[in-house]
Amino acid sequence: MNDAGWLDDAEQELWRNLLRITVELPSAIEAQLKRDAGVSYLDFRVLGSLSEAPSGTRTMSELAARMSVSIARLSVAVGRLERRSWVQREQNPDDGRATDVVLTESGRAHLEAHVVAHVQQLRRLVFEAIDPAWQAEFSEMLGRVLGTIGRDPCARFGSDARTARPAAYAADWSPLTGPRAVGNS
């Protein structure tokens, strides 16, 4: 960093590339999923996260944390999936205040029918561009950045202390759902 507090040229280039990736990569993934599977990236991630659960069931709160989205945004996505009979909502048997989201057989079939094309797109866009020898190191670096974000409670959900919550993000990433582990550091 220089004396004025500005980013130097190398930092500026890295920052601009990170910003472009945060916009362009999700857009490219979204376009492929809408074209091939008829769903948004968030919808596909919900199906994927449910498929990874042993029972095909997760609470709305758990899904929201895994997706890094608000309950309200998740509720809209789950509503779209419900209308297609790919998920159903049920009252959680252990906590009457919680709502479970359950993957249906038709939802699992839809996911399985489109996951190969999705993974091929991820390989084309990301993994073919990164030498396999560098992938573990790159993942570890991104995990460190995510960890710093996770330790800043306002970085996740704005400066509203009522909704801010610290979280640590593992570098262990699923191509369907994103971070596999969300917890406190």
Side-chain angles (χ1 to χ4, degrees):
M1 181 187 294
N2 63 31
D3 293 335
W6 297 101
L7 298 176
D8 65 29
D9 290 344
E11 290 169 329
Q12 194 66 254
E13 181 179 3
L14 175 59
W15 177 242
R16 287 183 177 142
N17 284 337
L18 283 171
L19 288 177
R20 286 187 63 199
I21 282 175
T22 64
V23 172
E24 294 179 23
L25 183 59
S27 293
I29 293 168
E30 178 99 8
Q32 179 268 323
L33 287 170
K34 284 187 174 179
R35 181 190 68 231
D36 296 344
V39 296
S40 72
Y41 185 32
L42 177 59
D43 294 355
F44 198 75
R45 289 175 59 211
V46 168
L47 294 174
S49 182
L50 292 172
S51 77
E52 292 173 347
S55 63
T57 302
R58 296 193 193 278
T59 66
M60 287 287 287
S61 296
E62 182 183 2
L63 274 173
R66 286 175 168 272
M67 304 294 114
S68 295
V69 298
S70 69
I71 293 283
R73 183 167 178 224
L74 178 63
S75 186
V76 170
V78 168
R80 284 191 301 266
L81 296 170
E82 274 183 311
R83 286 188 292 281
R84 295 174 119 175
S85 300
W86 293 339
V87 302
Q88 59 189 39
R89 290 184 229 212
E90 298 176 354
Q91 185 174 5
N92 182 289
D94 300 323
D95 181 354
R97 299 169 297 166
T99 300
D100 288 341
V101 181
V102 181
L103 181 64
T104 65
E105 286 306 312
S106 61
R108 186 176 300 279
H110 186 76
L111 176 70
E112 290 173 357
H114 298 286
V115 72
V116 171
H118 173 62
V119 170
Q120 287 173 340
Q121 176 76 335
L122 294 179
R123 288 190 193 289
R124 274 191 302 277
L125 295 175
V126 177
F127 297 101
E128 290 176 7
I130 302 170
D131 186 310
W134 288 76
Q135 288 178 13
E137 184 176 352
F138 187 58
S139 180
E140 191 271 328
M141 286 187 280
L142 291 174
R144 285 196 314 244
V145 172
L146 288 168
T148 62
I149 294 167
R151 287 189 297 277
D152 181 350
C154 294
R156 298 290 303 133
F157 295 99
S159 60
D160 186 344
R162 294 169 298 162
T163 58
R165 59 182 162 71
Y169 296 88
D172 187 15
W173 188 266
S174 164
L176 296 176
T177 61
R180 290 187 189 205
V182 177
N184 293 331
S185 51

